[in-house]
Amino acid sequence: MAEPNVRGAWPALRVADWTDTRDTLHLWTQIVGKIRMAQAPLLNHWWQVTLYVSPRGLTTSSIPYGGEVFDIEFDFVEHQLVIRSSAAGTRTVALHPMPVAEFLDRTMHALAGLGLEARISARPNEVDPAIPFAQDREHAAYDPEAAHLFWRQLVSAHRVMGEFRAHFVGKVSPVHFWWGAMDLACTRFSGRPAPRHPGGAPNCADWVMVEGYSRELSSCGFWPGGGEEGAFYAYAYPEPDGFAGHPVGPEGAYYSAENGQFLLPYEAVRAAPDPDGALREFLHSTYEAAADLGRWDRAALEDDPLRWDGHR
């Protein structure tokens, strides 16, 4: 098999060049995520509501519905929303410039055509203002090239974050896409309870954050905001003493007091001689800051993902 062009896998996408599309797509993903949330049983930290990076875009994975399952996928190659049912076939919604209200109507109509019903909360979360989906005709942009490039950013981030996840044998989340804040994330847990989270996210009930942050954690991810091309982030909850001043790499990484987390501009990774290595250094060094200062039992929580390679 040919070696992949890893450096070429990190495309440039200036936030300023696709802000309108990003904001519209954010709200579209919220609608799809809420459809999954309406049907899936609760998992710890709301893991049942997320989307996942797929070979075509972003997918819900299988959602239970009575005795059947269905899934919904944003296809950023052919630019369509694909809804597949184990019982009733497939419906698609073309992705092109349209208001959030129209996307909602087309998506619900496609679901109904498959005999599927989902009642979702009417407003978006973690955004301000939170215009009800059915009334939002303000957000209506869709640049297919930008959406495709964003997905390619997610593909590369997912690949390196997945490798990083493999070093941890304690409780750890999937590498998944949170539609509330529009970020790709992976979270490791120490195994200890955390102090009650104070909440405060815009248009998001405090009890939602209490569940999300109910255990001590170290989280990392990628967000298409911050920096000229988005930013990688890493934070700890609760934040241990000395965390902000702990040395981390690579060059370009810094602690943002405003955001309460370490940040690494996406462009610093993309332009690095070894983009994968630069991101890998950021993920491991920021986790080590949280785990060492928080006195995690690292010997019990970590292992070598290549430990069985000699037996394959």
Side-chain angles (χ1 to χ4, degrees):
M1 182 179 293
E3 286 294 320
N5 181 359
V6 173
R7 184 177 177 82
W10 297 91
L13 179 61
R14 289 173 51 85
V15 172
D17 292 340
W18 81 294
T19 300
D20 290 345
T21 291
R22 181 197 65 178
D23 293 348
T24 301
L25 184 58
H26 184 188
L27 296 168
W28 290 359
T29 63
Q30 291 221 10
I31 290 169
V32 170
K34 285 172 179 283
I35 292 170
R36 183 182 185 205
M37 182 170 64
Q39 303 296 329
L42 174 68
L43 295 178
N44 45 218
H45 315 293
W46 308 111
W47 290 354
Q48 85 281 7
V49 310
T50 58
L51 306 181
Y52 307 96
V53 176
S54 78
R56 305 288 292 189
L58 287 169
T59 179
T60 59
S61 74
S62 294
I63 302 170
Y65 193 86
E68 302 290 340
V69 294
F70 71 99
D71 69 357
I72 308 176
E73 182 176 35
F74 285 94
D75 182 338
F76 296 131
V77 177
E78 296 188 8
H79 301 287
Q80 57 184 354
L81 187 76
V82 182
I83 307 171
R84 302 182 302 174
S85 165
S86 61
T90 302
R91 295 288 189 279
T92 62
V93 176
L95 299 180
H96 55 72
M98 62 177 143
V100 169
E102 182 178 342
F103 176 84
L104 172 68
D105 183 67
R106 287 173 177 260
T107 300
M108 292 304 180
H109 183 76
L111 283 172
L114 294 171
L116 303 170
E117 180 182 1
R119 297 184 180 182
I120 68 173
S121 57
R123 295 175 182 268
N125 300 112
E126 299 184 54
V127 298
D128 188 26
I131 305 170
F133 298 122
Q135 300 173 23
D136 189 346
R137 309 198 69 82
E138 174 183 335
H139 298 95
Y142 185 77
D143 177 348
E145 181 180 1
H148 182 86
L149 289 173
F150 173 55
W151 164 64
R152 293 301 312 177
Q153 289 182 323
L154 294 178
V155 167
S156 290
H158 180 276
R159 173 172 47 79
V160 178
M161 290 168 63
E163 179 188 4
F164 168 72
R165 181 181 186 267
H167 290 263
F168 201 77
V169 295
K171 177 181 170 182
V172 57
S173 78
V175 179
H176 48 195
F177 183 86
W178 290 101
W179 41 264
M182 200 181 186
D183 62 314
L184 188 72
C186 181
T187 306
R188 294 173 166 185
F189 296 84
S190 72
R192 300 189 295 251
R196 183 182 178 88
H197 195 279
N203 295 297
C204 184
D206 290 348
W207 57 267
V208 174
M209 306 303 287
V210 170
E211 170 61 34
Y213 291 89
S214 58
R215 299 293 186 271
E216 190 176 60
L217 59 82
S218 171
S219 191
C220 62
F222 170 68
W223 173 59
E228 292 187 357
E229 301 176 16
F232 295 95
Y233 66 80
Y235 64 89
Y237 183 78
E239 183 177 302
D241 291 342
F243 183 69
H246 196 280
V248 302
E251 184 177 354
Y254 66 97
Y255 184 84
S256 168
E258 177 183 0
N259 294 284
Q261 56 191 339
F262 286 104
L263 296 175
L264 175 65
Y266 174 89
E267 56 269 27
V269 172
R270 178 180 57 77
D274 176 9
D276 284 25
L279 178 54
R280 199 177 294 119
E281 181 181 357
F282 178 73
L283 300 176
H284 283 282
S285 63
T286 52
Y287 159 71
E288 288 164 4
D292 290 344
L293 295 172
R295 295 181 172 83
W296 289 27
D297 185 358
R298 293 186 58 186
L301 295 171
E302 301 168 28
D303 209 337
D304 181 1
L306 303 179
R307 59 192 175 273
W308 294 110
D309 272 18
H311 297 273
R312 293 189 182 184

